[in-house]
Structures are given as C-alpha cells and as structure tokens.
Amino acid sequence: MTKPGGIATLAAASVLMLVSACSDEHGPVADTNTDAVSVSRANAAELPIGSGFDFYVLALSWSPAYCIAEGDRANRQQCAADRDLAFVVHGLWPQFETGYPEYCPSRQPERVPAQLGNNYLDILPSMGLIGHQWRKHGSCSGLNQKDYLDLTRAARESIVIPDDFALANLPGEIDAAEAEDAFVAANPGLSREGIAVKCERGMLREIRICLSTTLGFRDCPEVDRKGCTRNGLDVPEPG
C-alpha cells in the first residue's frame, strides 16, 4: 500500500533481502525532518556571488544508495558502520544553459585545508568529497574556497526535505515523478522543470535542484531532460 506522499513501505521479506544483498550507507547525519530544516531562503544580499556561469545545480545524494551502489569503492568516512546519513550534499555545481565548466584555473589552492573543510562535514560527509567538489566545481565558481563552501551550506539550508523521506517511511519505494512532486510541494517556487532525479540500479540515487547565483529556484531544461523517469525506485533506509 502506498503511503501518503508517494513512498511505499517494503514488505519485511523484501527489507531482509535488500539488507543482506547490499552494503549499507552512512555519513554525517542529515536531518530529514522538515520541521528541523524549514528555514527561510537565504538573504541574497549576504551571499557571495559567483561569476562565469549561468546557474547552479545543488545535488543532494541519498547516502544509503551511494554506499550500496559503490560497494567497496565507497568513501569509508561516509559509509562507516557508525555513520547514519540520509540526504547529503554531493555538490554545488556551476552550470551553463548547455553543458558545464569543470576543473577551472584558480588562484586558490587545489587542496582544501582540514581546518576549513572540517566546518562543513555535517553537509558534505568527507574531506575527500569536499576536496573533489572544490577542484572540479568550486574552482569554476569565481569564489574562494570559504565563500564557495559557505554558499554550498546556504544552498542546502534553503531546501526543505519532504516528509516522504522521513525515517518512519523507510525503507520504501517511490516513482521518480513522485519524488519530484514531493520536493516541489515542500519548496514553494520550485517547479517540475527545475528538478531532476538520478537513479541507479533501481534506487533513487540523487535529487538535483537548479538554483540561480543568488539561490533562487529556476528552471533548467537540459538538466530536467536528463533526469530519471523510472517508477518504483528503492529508497533504502539509513543505518
């Protein structure tokens, strides 16, 4: 039976099969309670403004699916047995209307110092991920490392995670369209043309939300077209 909001609870036998067949996924805990993350949108006047691109994609990774899909290749810091993550930030990616820049020349160092990166482990679950995101994407933002990471935090805090992904509804399954609808309903101003789902191995892997350089919602036809449209995606539970 489908629960309100789209996620259907898996039968007990299916849960056991999923757990036994796959490695689990964890990281710094990301709160899925909408009461806890219902924040007002960031004040644009206080945000560092990037340049040299058209908009951002905020990629929110469903950490349990990442750890299962990557298996032995998964980041040990994120997927350690004592971690318990739900949605985490995969990255904040500068985009063009068509295509995107990557690994841009920058006067900033390639390596993100631990004393800086450690301040963001609650949203980006490993120093390896922080460093990679800076080198591949942050270097193309026109911002310094701290401003880019601060903007990444502001982008994450501007998004309300739907109750569909609360622990009480997991493990479960959801159609890609239902996942998009849930985020649209929870985030006024977000449209179906400004969000895309990534799926992999029958699981919901990622939610990608398009944002302006001041973190307002905006449409992104190319990103939207590339989104997954599958039904019945597994949503493994954290822990």
Side-chain angles (χ1 to χ4, degrees):
M1 178 178 294
T2 301
K3 290 193 173 188
I7 290 187
T9 304
L10 296 175
S14 299
V15 174
L16 291 174
M17 290 174 61
L18 178 63
V19 172
S20 62
C22 305
S23 61
D24 208 281
E25 142 78 348
H26 311 71
V29 176
D31 200 332
T32 58
N33 187 322
T34 54
D35 292 335
V37 296
S38 57
V39 296
S40 59
R41 296 197 62 76
N43 185 339
E46 298 176 358
L47 293 174
I49 306 299
S51 60
F53 57 97
D54 297 320
F55 64 98
Y56 290 109
V57 166
L58 176 66
L60 299 176
S61 172
W62 186 249
S63 192
Y66 160 78
C67 293
I68 291 171
E70 296 299 321
D72 293 341
R73 299 173 299 173
N75 181 275
R76 293 182 180 181
Q77 186 177 359
Q78 179 173 348
C79 300
D82 61 347
R83 304 299 291 278
D84 189 7
L85 282 176
F87 276 114
V88 299
V89 175
H90 181 181
L92 183 67
W93 304 335
Q95 302 280 304
F96 299 130
E97 296 297 344
T98 301
Y100 54 88
E102 59 182 3
Y103 297 109
C104 298
S106 172
R107 294 183 179 180
Q108 292 281 294
E110 288 192 358
R111 184 176 180 275
V112 177
Q115 63 184 22
L116 174 62
N118 285 339
N119 297 319
Y120 305 91
L121 287 174
D122 58 318
I123 58 168
L124 289 145
S126 73
M127 282 301 302
L129 177 61
I130 290 172
H132 176 71
Q133 291 305 308
W134 164 254
R135 288 186 292 276
K136 184 173 182 179
H137 301 289
S139 63
C140 300
S141 68
L143 302 172
N144 62 39
Q145 290 181 349
K146 184 178 186 304
D147 282 351
Y148 172 71
L149 291 169
D150 283 347
L151 189 66
T152 300
R153 179 181 294 284
R156 171 61 188 89
E157 290 177 350
S158 75
I159 303 300
V160 175
I161 304 299
D163 285 338
D164 303 64
F165 296 92
L167 187 60
N169 294 326
L170 302 173
E173 63 179 38
I174 193 169
D175 296 346
E178 290 174 336
E180 290 188 3
D181 286 342
F183 270 86
V184 168
N187 292 275
L190 177 62
S191 78
R192 285 288 303 277
E193 289 70 43
I195 184 172
V197 171
K198 177 184 177 182
C199 56
E200 184 174 354
R201 291 175 53 181
M203 295 182 291
L204 184 145
R205 177 73 183 261
E206 201 160 271
I207 299 290
R208 296 175 176 176
I209 297 173
C210 296
L211 301 170
S212 71
T213 56
T214 55
L215 305 189
F217 294 124
R218 57 105 77 196
D219 292 349
C220 45
E222 183 179 67
V223 175
D224 181 51
R225 282 196 303 271
K226 293 180 178 179
C228 170
T229 59
R230 289 186 57 178
N231 295 333
L233 296 172
D234 288 335
V235 186
E237 67 179 324

